[in-house]
Amino acid sequence: MKNVAVAGAQWGDEGKGKVVDILAEKFDYVIRYQGGHNAGHSVVFGGKRYALHVLPSGIFHADTVNIVGNGVVVDPFALLKEIEGMESKGISVTPERLKISDRAHIILPYHGIIDRWRESGSGKRQIGTTGRGIGPAYEWKASRRGVRFCDAYDMGHFRQRVEYEYTAIREIYGDMDELAEWPLSRVLEESCAAVARLMPHVIDSVYELAEARAQGKRMLFEGAQATLLDVDFGTYPYVTSSNSCLLGITAGAGVPPGAIQRSIGICKAYTTRVGKGPFPTELHDDTGTKLRDAGHEYGTTTGRPRRCGWLDLVALKYVQHLNDFSTLAIMKLDVMDSLAEVKLCVGYRLDGEEITRFPAALDALDRVEPIYKTFPGWQTPLHEVRRYDALPTEAKNYLAAVERFIGCPVGLVSVGPDREQTIFRHADLFN
Ligand code: GDP
Ligand code: IMO
Ligand code: MG
């Protein structure tokens, strides 16, 4: 039995949704283990594009059970909207196909309000969050003030918990305009109604997954965000509030470390970042614009333009130390088709000295200058390539340089958004 984990190797939006969707049919379970509806995972097949936020990307496969793990923070309004959107497109999201851990924390309206209020201030405190209440929901969880789905097994108890938290919040944040639109009566009425509609999906996922493991069922763990947005290992404080690298799986899904046999690091052939924070290889020139245009680099969740730059191997090597991915999936190689030359960052210069480590301190990261190795571009459309051997030599040389530097095979190459536009190089890694 091989359970597989998929996680982002950069700053998000690498194409995790596409890879999970492709692999999901071989798995009994697809499990999200962290994040919330700050995520936007796109899946394209049959000429249609689907955007997933909290629903795991296994939802398109009739026989796959999708689990929203205990480590996810769930906005009941957003999830209901997402379910309705899927149902309207003919994708059924029954309680048999979507299960939510009863230990998952609930994002309540005041979390989003606090998140947006903080971001609306000026100056250095802005992170560029998605404004979805993710950070405050994790804060409430860590400060032991969170409300979980299991609290709603008894709706009277749930109401009491929400009322208590709301009252405390009003005392501290009473002057926030948006809060005035959410008096206690509205928070209670709407939240209770939304949570009640989700309760048929709520289970104790610890037992479900323990039984599934005992029966040899296969699990695919789907990460949201990415390693460089991880609250411990990312470019803090410009990060999300969960452990979004592989290290978050055991705590966020409720499985022991031995439950994961293989892992796939999802990485674009270049780099993007949305929101604020350091980005050593960011391009502010025509090439950056070309990458943004060719890659349609606008956020799935917020529509914000993504910042674009060259692939940073110093950052990727750091990411590999943390995750020890069995294989890399290099996505969006086709986006670089028209470039005459392509670059890989193979080192940094910090205060005149060459370094190969990704610094923890933000001011150092802000100051580093990338050292590049330049490669000739392939200047051939890759959309229709389906075999690794058929890639142009220039593209293969570029990928080989990534493999050598990182010490991890490139087992999958993606040359377009569609399921079909995928090259499996080491098929055995995906069985
Ligand atoms: P995720 O958050 O990691 O799931 O990634 P997103 O879905 O937010 O962003 C990836 C974007 O790139 C989506 O619009 C995908 O449809 C698209 N995409 C994925 N793989 C490829 C690829 O190989 N080539 C191109 N051109 N687009 C891709
Ligand atoms: P997927 O799963 C890219 C970024 C936000 C912001 C920071 C904190 O689609 O790859 P938050 O709302 O989480 O408190 O915002 O993290 N961010 C993402 N960037 N992809 C994502 O998800 C992201 N989720 C959060 O832009 O910089
Ligand atoms: Mg995304």
Side-chain angles (χ1 to χ4, degrees):
M1 184 198 69
K2 292 267 192 311
N3 294 334
V4 175
V6 167
Q10 297 165 307
W11 278 289
D13 302 323
E14 298 92 344
K16 299 176 289 293
K18 170 175 169 165
V19 174
V20 170
D21 166 65
I22 294 174
L23 299 180
E25 65 176 348
K26 296 182 190 159
F27 290 82
D28 301 295
Y29 287 91
V30 175
I31 304 149
R32 271 278 304 270
Y33 54 91
Q34 45 65 236
H37 64 312
N38 48 349
H41 296 180
S42 318
V43 171
V44 180
F45 59 90
K48 288 199 184 125
R49 171 175 284 273
Y50 303 86
L52 300 163
H53 300 284
V54 176
L55 290 177
S57 303
I59 202 73
F60 304 104
H61 299 278
D63 297 329
T64 307
V65 177
N66 294 272
I67 298 210
V68 173
N70 58 282
V72 177
V73 286
V74 180
D75 179 323
F77 304 101
L79 180 53
L80 285 169
K81 209 167 138 206
E82 197 177 339
I83 294 174
E84 281 162 17
M86 282 297 151
E87 299 260 350
S88 73
K89 290 177 181 155
I91 311 294
S92 106
V93 188
T94 59
E96 289 70 42
R97 304 199 53 238
L98 172 69
K99 303 189 182 195
I100 304 168
S101 164
D102 59 3
R103 290 179 175 81
H105 281 246
I106 300 175
I107 302 179
L108 287 154
Y110 44 79
H111 294 129
I113 294 171
I114 294 170
D115 197 10
R116 291 186 289 276
W117 177 72
R118 286 182 185 152
E119 289 286 296
S120 66
S122 58
K124 286 193 167 177
R125 296 294 299 168
Q126 287 172 314
I127 302 294
T129 74
T130 59
R132 302 290 198 265
I134 306 297
Y138 280 114
E139 278 173 59
W140 258 254
K141 172 178 176 174
S143 64
R144 297 156 296 177
R145 290 175 166 78
V147 179
R148 300 182 294 166
F149 280 97
C150 55
D151 289 315
Y153 285 141
D154 171 350
M155 268 299 172
H157 170 67
F158 177 78
R159 285 179 73 90
Q160 267 180 6
R161 287 287 305 109
V162 175
E163 181 167 351
Y164 183 85
E165 292 308 324
Y166 180 88
T167 309
I169 282 163
R170 275 242 72 134
E171 279 174 20
I172 302 168
Y173 296 100
D175 56 346
M176 289 187 306
D177 292 344
E178 226 189 312
L179 206 51
E181 294 162 29
W182 283 91
L184 177 63
S185 55
R186 181 177 174 204
V187 172
L188 284 176
E189 193 186 321
E190 296 191 22
S191 303
C192 288
V195 169
R197 285 177 61 198
L198 289 173
M199 288 312 281
H201 297 268
V202 172
I203 58 153
D204 188 330
S205 58
V206 171
Y207 289 94
E208 172 106 13
L209 292 179
E211 282 159 26
R213 287 199 315 117
Q215 291 164 13
K217 297 211 166 140
R218 293 193 74 189
M219 296 171 195
L220 178 59
F221 299 95
E222 176 179 11
Q225 289 81 53
T227 307
L228 297 175
L229 287 172
D230 184 287
V231 68
D232 280 282
F233 301 107
T235 46
Y236 191 91
Y238 296 97
V239 293
T240 192
S241 299
S242 61
N243 281 120
S244 45
C245 69
L246 288 190
L247 304 182
I249 293 180
T250 52
V255 294
I260 307 153
Q261 282 79 42
R262 271 189 193 146
S263 57
I264 308 172
I266 314 297
C267 182
K268 276 178 193 172
Y270 49 99
T271 308
T272 63
R273 171 162 208 173
V274 61
K276 299 193 175 205
F279 179 176
T281 60
E282 183 170 11
L283 290 167
H284 298 282
D285 59 5
D286 276 1
T287 310
T289 310
K290 270 190 192 162
L291 289 172
R292 184 174 309 111
D293 290 347
H296 305 292
E297 294 295 357
Y298 295 90
T300 311
T301 296
T302 57
R304 289 179 291 176
R306 295 175 184 148
R307 299 155 63 193
C308 299
W310 297 118
L311 182 54
D312 183 342
L313 295 183
V314 176
L316 189 58
K317 182 82 189 174
Y318 164 75
V319 163
Q320 178 65 0
H321 285 311
L322 289 164
N323 295 288
D324 195 18
F325 293 124
S326 332
T327 184
L328 288 172
I330 299 292
M331 312 299 288
K332 303 189 90 161
L333 192 62
D334 55 293
V335 170
M336 299 171 96
D337 282 354
S338 70
L339 303 181
E341 54 183 32
V342 291
K343 294 186 186 188
L344 289 172
C345 169
V346 294
Y348 293 152
R349 196 163 285 114
L350 177 63
D351 304 331
E353 228 179 279
E354 267 188 37
I355 58 166
T356 49
R357 289 188 173 195
F358 189 75
L362 213 63
D363 70 315
L365 259 180
D366 275 334
R367 287 204 316 280
V368 298
E369 290 163 36
I371 300 168
Y372 288 116
K373 190 164 181 212
T374 304
F375 296 76
W378 40 96
Q379 297 189 283
T380 318
L382 300 184
H383 292 110
E384 298 192 350
V385 179
R386 296 291 177 271
R387 282 186 309 109
Y388 195 85
D389 293 347
L391 283 170
T393 308
E394 294 83 354
K396 281 190 281 197
N397 288 343
Y398 180 74
L399 296 172
V402 175
E403 282 185 323
R404 266 197 311 277
F405 195 99
I406 305 302
C408 180
V410 171
L412 184 156
V413 180
S414 177
V415 291
D418 196 275
R419 271 181 190 168
E420 305 294 321
Q421 293 172 304
T422 311
I423 300 169
F424 284 97
R425 185 183 177 199
H426 300 300
D428 54 315
L429 286 178
F430 300 94
N431 287 330

